[in-house]
Amino acid sequence: MPENGYDSDTGIDYATYRRSSILAARQGKTMAKDDIEAGKSTHATPDNADKIAESVESPKRVRFALSLERQKTLDKLESLSRSNTLLESNNQSSPEPNYNITVTTSTAAPKSVMRSPRFWLLSVGVGLGQAAWYIVLLFMTSISVATGLDVSNAAIILGAINGASSVGQFAAGYAADLIGPVNSLVLFTLTATLSNLLLFIPNLSFRILILYACLCGASIGASDPLAVIAGVTQFGRARAASTTGLVYGSVGMMVTATAPNARVLLQKLGKGTNFVPVYVFVIFLFAASTLFLLLLRLRISRSIHTHV
């Protein structure tokens, strides 16, 4: 027996029926009033519009209310989808290019890393700089003694180079945060290149050599942590260890290939006492290192603008 118009044979629970009945009644009332105003009904009046709405059969009211609720849900979903699409288009319309890093997949295998031109630009750039640095350490004591300094002052010069290298490693982190690791590599390697011009000053004194040791030592000392950070930002943290190993493996090959040549230049061109050919060779290596790192910087910028 239906209770308040509710018939359990319809398969609809009572709570849904009550909610839909209210919605259907309101809709029925509106429809009735619209009919009166349009003159389409001769039986409905403003006074009996509520009764006409209540006279609508229960199953019809339920179906109408459920259809209305579905339509409202679809409208909400469409509105949310439209808002998300608008938000994504706004985010993609004016991206801010980041010149410090290049986004890459972190699951790249070592073989795919070695196929990347950026890897070789980084490896050769860092390798040439480290080779020049090794030659400086190898000949610094001999250069100091050749300028007239005693062994103790020559040892101070060598110690100043290593001390300045430690300071440069601290400065490397701050520089990488400010301008990016690759930009920092270019800056510090260029500084090391220019600092070696001090060696061409006639009658080198202890003070000039100390200045040289501080500038060159700090500059090239910063390249160690910066090379690691640059490798991570370029090829992903997941491959940080393998990338670092590959970069410094190439550094070792560069040092092995270039360091003996400095001794040959000293013996053949400098007659064992004139270190000018060694100075020229060191500056050449530092300049080539700066060039390769600058090419890496330009390649990264081109890649960013291409994706933008």
Side-chain angles (χ1 to χ4, degrees):
M1 182 73 182
E3 179 182 356
N4 296 327
Y6 170 65
D7 189 357
S8 59
D9 294 335
T10 59
I12 302 174
D13 60 273
Y14 187 72
T16 303
Y17 163 78
R18 290 289 297 169
R19 184 170 64 255
S20 61
S21 295
I22 296 174
L23 294 174
R26 293 176 180 173
Q27 181 67 15
K29 184 195 303 183
T30 303
M31 293 170 59
K33 290 182 178 179
D34 292 340
D35 289 343
I36 294 171
E37 294 176 357
K40 295 181 181 179
S41 174
T42 56
H43 301 287
T45 64
D47 296 331
N48 65 3
D50 292 336
K51 293 181 179 180
I52 294 175
E54 291 293 340
S55 65
V56 179
E57 295 182 3
S58 173
K60 292 183 179 180
R61 290 202 303 268
V62 172
R63 286 195 297 271
F64 169 76
L66 292 178
S67 176
L68 185 62
E69 289 182 354
R70 284 195 300 269
Q71 186 60 41
K72 288 183 178 180
T73 303
L74 291 175
D75 291 341
K76 289 181 180 180
L77 291 175
E78 184 179 358
S79 176
L80 289 174
S81 177
R82 191 180 300 112
S83 300
N84 292 335
T85 303
L86 181 61
L87 181 60
E88 291 177 359
S89 63
N90 290 336
N91 291 336
Q92 296 175 0
S93 60
S94 58
E96 292 293 337
N98 188 343
Y99 295 100
N100 296 335
I101 62 173
T102 299
V103 179
T104 58
T105 57
S106 60
T107 57
K111 290 183 179 180
S112 64
V113 170
M114 295 183 68
R115 287 195 295 266
S116 171
R118 288 180 287 114
F119 167 78
W120 291 109
L121 290 174
L122 177 63
S123 298
V124 175
V126 174
L128 291 174
Q130 291 292 326
W133 169 241
Y134 182 79
I135 294 172
V136 168
L137 293 178
L138 187 65
F139 287 97
M140 196 67 243
T141 302
S142 300
I143 292 172
S144 300
V145 172
T147 59
L149 299 180
D150 56 24
V151 177
S152 359
N153 286 332
I156 292 175
I157 298 296
L158 188 60
I161 289 179
N162 288 285
S165 174
S166 301
V167 175
Q169 291 178 357
F170 283 107
Y174 292 100
D177 288 337
L178 291 176
I179 62 175
V182 177
N183 291 338
S184 300
L185 273 172
V186 174
L187 176 62
F188 281 112
T189 309
L190 178 61
T191 304
T193 305
L194 297 177
S195 66
N196 278 272
L197 296 176
L198 293 172
L199 296 176
F200 287 94
I201 297 177
N203 302 321
L204 288 173
S205 64
F206 177 77
R207 292 182 179 179
I208 294 177
L209 287 176
I210 283 290
L211 176 62
Y212 165 76
C214 292
L215 288 176
C216 185
S219 299
I220 201 61
S223 67
D224 278 337
L226 288 175
V228 176
I229 300 172
V232 172
T233 57
Q234 293 302 304
F235 305 106
R237 289 181 297 176
R239 293 293 177 181
S242 59
T243 302
T244 303
L246 291 172
V247 169
Y248 278 96
S250 63
V251 167
M253 291 188 290
M254 288 286 180
V255 172
T256 303
T258 57
N261 294 328
R263 176 67 65 181
V264 174
L265 291 173
L266 179 62
Q267 296 295 330
K268 297 293 184 180
L269 301 179
K271 306 303 180 181
T273 56
N274 186 0
F275 287 91
V276 172
V278 178
Y279 300 161
V280 174
F281 187 50
V282 169
I283 291 178
F284 169 77
L285 292 177
F286 275 128
S289 173
T290 305
L291 177 61
F292 274 96
L293 294 174
L294 184 59
L295 291 175
L296 172 62
R297 169 68 274 170
L298 295 176
R299 190 174 186 87
I300 293 172
S301 300
R302 185 185 307 169
S303 176
I304 292 175
H305 287 298
T306 300
H307 286 88
V308 169

